[in-house]
């Protein structure tokens, strides 16, 4: 099973909004509402930002939001701040055989 | 507070077998619903899910690596162990263990990771 497809990079100025896409197939993203997004700063472990497509764990700012349409999920970061500059990875449950797929990652730059 | 910490060798030779240990605190691995997984990340590259073990000893493996992986747990030590055989330089990566939230189906708590380099 191939990894989920993300754009390698995205950017925006402070205060702006940016959206990162994550494209899968009807066997993973399109089949389940178990899409997650992780933020990873250099040299650090990933941090869960979004689960079940749209939900935020406690402590994650509401500037981060998720959505899904068909086989493509999206992460939107509103009101960009300098600390949002990081790598972002999507993941999706892919059934009992493939279980979990990650995207290739998107490097978000705050200009 | 749940914490996970990975440990293992930092350098292994090609063809060798590596054993990585994830020590879990703040949560019993025998508690109903608990699961812990392993994810790796080669330098500068993306995350890749490897394996997962449930409280009831059910296991899941990445299809592409299934023949080389074995995941087990020691409930007396509250540890999850990942064994990977026939190591190759392409397996050089940071290996993370992470707690999978039962209801969210997401990895909500991660260890700090342990770097494994495969080189002769």
């Amino acid at each position: 099973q191939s990894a989920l497809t993300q754009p390698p990079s995205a950017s925006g100025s402070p205060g702006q909004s940016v959206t990162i896409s994550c494209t899968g197939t009807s066997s993973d993203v399109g089949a389940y509402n178990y899409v997650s997004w992780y933020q990873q700063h250099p040299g650090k472990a990933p941090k869960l930002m979004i689960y079940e497509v749209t939900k935020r764990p406690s402590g994650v700012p509401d500037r981060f939001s998720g959505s899904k349409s068909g086989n493509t999920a999206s992460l939107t970061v509103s009101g960009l701040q300098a600390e949002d500059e990081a790598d972002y990875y999507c993941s999706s449950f892919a059934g009992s055989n493939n279980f979990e797929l990650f995207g290739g990652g998107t490097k978000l730059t705050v200009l | 507070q749940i914490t996970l910490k990975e440990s293992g060798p930092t350098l292994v030779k090609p063809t060798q077998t590596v054993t990585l240990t994830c020590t879990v605190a703040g949560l019993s691995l025998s508690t109903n619903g608990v699961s812990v997984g392993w994810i790796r990340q080669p330098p500068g590259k993306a995350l890749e899910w490897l394996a997962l073990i449930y409280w009831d000893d059910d296991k899941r493996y990445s299809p592409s690596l299934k023949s080389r992986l074995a995941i087990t747990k020691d409930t007396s030590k509250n540890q999850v162990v990942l064994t990977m055989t026939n190591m190759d330089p392409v397996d050089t990566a940071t290996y993370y263990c992470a707690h999978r939230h039962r209801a969210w189906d997401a990895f909500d708590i991660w260890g700090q990771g342990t770097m494994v380099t495969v080189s002769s």
Side-chain angles (χ1 to χ4, degrees):
Chain A
Q1 186 93 359
S2 301
L4 308 177
T5 300
Q6 297 181 235
S9 63
S11 63
S13 299
Q16 289 187 331
S17 294
V18 64
T19 297
I20 299 169
S21 63
C22 170
T23 301
T25 70
S26 58
S27 297
D28 39 70
V29 174
Y32 306 97
N33 286 323
Y34 289 117
V35 175
S36 305
W37 289 89
Y38 299 88
Q39 177 192 65
Q40 186 180 36
H41 287 109
K44 300 296 186 181
K47 175 186 175 183
L48 180 64
M49 304 299 283
I50 296 286
Y51 66 95
E52 290 181 5
V53 180
T54 62
K55 300 176 183 178
R56 287 185 309 277
S58 174
V60 172
D62 60 5
R63 302 184 293 103
F64 292 84
S65 62
S67 63
K68 190 184 86 167
S69 178
N71 297 336
T72 298
S74 299
L75 172 72
T76 298
V77 186
S78 305
L80 273 173
Q81 299 183 4
E83 60 261 36
D84 299 333
E85 185 162 295
D87 293 326
Y88 291 84
Y89 293 92
C90 64
S91 73
S92 173
F93 179 67
S96 59
N97 288 332
N98 291 301
F99 197 79
E100 188 81 8
L101 292 175
F102 281 96
T106 298
K107 182 176 181 59
L108 175 59
T109 301
V110 181
L111 302 170
Chain B
Q1 180 189 1
I2 300 170
T3 61
L4 301 93
K5 187 172 184 179
E6 306 87 347
S7 58
T10 57
L11 179 65
V12 299
K13 294 184 180 344
T15 76
Q16 286 187 336
T17 294
V18 69
T19 298
L20 302 174
T21 301
C22 175
T23 301
V24 181
L27 177 74
S28 171
L29 292 176
S30 58
T31 298
N32 192 303
V34 169
S35 62
V36 172
W38 284 93
I39 302 101
R40 72 177 178 180
Q41 184 174 37
K45 296 188 177 181
L47 301 168
E48 179 184 18
W49 172 74
L50 300 176
L52 185 94
I53 190 165
Y54 292 91
W55 83 99
D56 61 358
D57 223 35
D58 193 13
K59 302 163 187 176
R60 296 287 185 269
Y61 293 102
S62 166
S64 61
L65 292 167
K66 185 175 183 178
S67 63
R68 299 175 52 208
L69 295 174
I71 189 170
T72 59
K73 60 180 172 63
D74 183 334
T75 53
S76 67
K77 297 180 180 178
N78 225 40
Q79 293 177 332
V80 174
V81 176
L82 182 74
T83 300
M84 181 179 288
T85 62
N86 194 24
M87 294 292 282
D88 183 272
V90 300
D91 297 314
T92 294
T94 296
Y95 287 75
Y96 296 98
C97 62
H99 171 262
R100 191 166 179 86
H101 196 288
R102 181 182 190 180
W104 300 351
D105 262 325
F107 292 105
D108 63 331
I109 304 169
W110 294 63
Q112 64 191 19
T114 186
M115 178 69 189
V116 179
T117 300
V118 185
S119 175
S120 55

